[in-house]
Amino acid sequence: MQKSILITGGAGFIGSHVVRHFVHTYPEYRIIVLDKLTYAGNLANLADMEGKANYFFEKTDIADETAVSEIFAKHRVDAVLHLAAESHVDRSITHPLEFIQTNVIGTANLLNAARKQWTSGDHLFYQISTDEVYGSLGAEGKFTEMTPYDPRSPYSASKASADHFVRAYGHTYGLPVVLSNCSNNYGPFQFPEKLIPLMINNIIQEKPLPVYGDGSNVRDWLWVGDHVKAIDLIFHQGKNGETYNIGGDNELSNLRLLHILCDQMDQKLDKTQGTARKLITFIKDRPGHDKRYAIDAGKLKTELGWRPETNFENGIEQTIDWYLSNREWLENIISGEYMHYYQQQYHT
Ligand code: NAD
Ligand code: DAU
């Protein structure tokens, strides 16, 4: 059966992996990418999709009511995989309103277009969300799907609000919806404002490695390809109205992660062990910095048979190799807007 699937944010980090997977795995689907191409959206991430018969691209803002409605009609959209977002916590602290505009208003706008156009037939609105909506953990415990929402940054508050709108449209209008809340992803094509690619880039450039606070904050890291597999399963087999947590069973403090990264980078760059570690610099903490995230993905494992397959050692090596062999991609990003952002954020 031919389906038209709208993937929002398809030119971003996770989105580009999702698009590539769906275009290759499901040639019978029409994949329409809707992306505003903000600083984080990059057509170079989708260069290998150009010319594919089942791939289409629309440069549009998800908050633009008329444009979104026209795209729904033009492509007869059957389902939405919603990834478009302002995604960086630090930027949400300096520019919170942009996060409300895209993550809250933009999501509500997409939901409204879906509600109006999906009057009959088989449809799905899939909201890709984050574990940050659950707040911050102490030393023990993990987030489950039953954990109450407690967002603590403008980014997580905007994602939590968007999730509430998705569930509200499900309850009020009977819109078929499904949600997933995932932990920190890593892998190729991640924008170098995020911890891992930022540190890889700084090690290449022999610049200081800025660690917020004392580096003891913990994140649960997941290989992006494992996230994509979970998204595929949930899209095809998830139950209407349900939420699924996705995590890597891979908790690391930022400092521990950085030590692993530094040591592997020294090897790859033929440097003496300990060289990169000397670049580590402790700086002022992120305001409201969440201490620890950890995901219990038991529901997804039991009900849909998913497992994270790529261990961290392997995934981080693949990630480093990708950044080292795609220096042009990195060079193109770390000029202009990125330099400006970097100077403001890190006072260099
Ligand atoms: P990203 O910042 O790399 O990409 C976001 C994409 O959305 C970009 O292509 C950008 O151009 C597009 N976009 C932004 N505003 C838009 C707008 N108004 N209209 C249309 N397009 C717009 O983000 P990512 O890290 O790939 O995250 C994708 C999604 O997954 C987000 O919803 C994020 O909240 C969620 N998520 C991310 C992670 C993670 O670790 N990166 C973890 C869990 C959930
Ligand atoms: O948990 C899922 C979330 O993970 C996603 O929803 C977000 O979109 C994604 O950006 C990510 O949020 P984090 O804030 O956890 O990711 P970030 O890479 O910004 O930071 C990871 C950790 O590293 C965090 O504890 C802050 C710390 N950090 C980050 C940067 C950029 C530093 O110590 N120094 C830095 O320069």
Side-chain angles (χ1 to χ4, degrees), residues 9-10 12-19 83 128 182-183 185 188-189 224 227-228 231:
F13 162 47
I14 302 172
S16 62
H17 288 276
V18 173
V19 170
L83 292 106
I128 311 292
C182 187
S183 64
N185 284 216
F189 297 110
V224 64
H227 189 187
V228 172
I231 289 173

Side-chain angles (χ1 to χ4, degrees), residues 313-329:
E313 213 173 82
N314 192 314
I316 200 67
E317 182 169 12
Q318 286 188 61
T319 306
I320 294 170
D321 286 345
W322 187 86
Y323 281 93
L324 289 178
S325 23
N326 287 277
R327 301 231 188 160
E328 205 183 318
W329 181 93

Side-chain angles (χ1 to χ4, degrees), residues 8-16 34-42 60-63 82-88 101-103 106 128-131 155 159 180-186 189-191 193-194 221 227:
T8 71
F13 162 47
I14 302 172
S16 62
L34 187 165
D35 199 297
K36 186 182 173 184
L37 297 180
T38 66
Y39 77 91
N42 188 348
T60 308
D61 185 338
I62 55 167
H82 178 35
L83 292 106
E86 287 294 341
S87 69
H88 192 38
Q101 177 63 18
T102 286
N103 299 358
I128 311 292
S129 192
T130 170
D131 58 359
Y155 163 69
K159 290 294 291 188
S180 58
N181 295 79
C182 187
S183 64
N184 288 61
N185 284 216
Y186 70 98
F189 297 110
Q190 188 165 31
F191 194 86
E193 65 192 350
K194 306 281 164 56
W221 293 93
H227 189 187

Side-chain angles (χ1 to χ4, degrees), residues 21-160:
H21 172 81
F22 272 75
V23 165
H24 282 141
T25 317
Y26 303 106
E28 69 276 26
Y29 292 171
R30 296 175 79 249
I31 302 299
I32 306 111
V33 172
L34 187 165
D35 199 297
K36 186 182 173 184
L37 297 180
T38 66
Y39 77 91
N42 188 348
L43 280 180
N45 299 356
L46 294 170
D48 54 336
M49 294 295 98
E50 287 304 327
K52 300 272 181 212
N54 62 336
Y55 165 77
F56 306 85
F57 185 86
E58 299 280 0
K59 182 177 183 308
T60 308
D61 185 338
I62 55 167
D64 182 333
E65 192 178 345
T66 311
V68 166
S69 168
E70 280 170 8
I71 286 169
F72 264 75
K74 175 179 162 192
H75 291 282
R76 295 173 186 273
V77 170
D78 293 306
V80 175
L81 267 165
H82 178 35
L83 292 106
E86 287 294 341
S87 69
H88 192 38
V89 173
D90 291 327
R91 291 186 194 248
S92 84
I93 294 167
T94 50
H95 295 88
L97 299 187
E98 291 173 14
F99 283 67
I100 298 170
Q101 177 63 18
T102 286
N103 299 358
V104 185
I105 311 244
T107 302
N109 188 43
L110 285 167
L111 286 164
N112 224 31
R115 171 176 81 88
K116 285 185 184 157
Q117 307 230 5
W118 294 347
T119 46
S120 64
D122 184 18
H123 300 290
L124 183 64
F125 190 102
Y126 179 0
Q127 162 79 347
I128 311 292
S129 192
T130 170
D131 58 359
E132 301 198 10
V133 297
Y134 297 122
S136 181
L137 292 164
E140 300 294 323
K142 291 188 174 194
F143 300 132
T144 73
E145 291 80 1
M146 304 306 286
T147 304
Y149 273 28
D150 180 24
R152 295 149 53 97
S153 73
Y155 163 69
S156 53
S158 69
K159 290 294 291 188

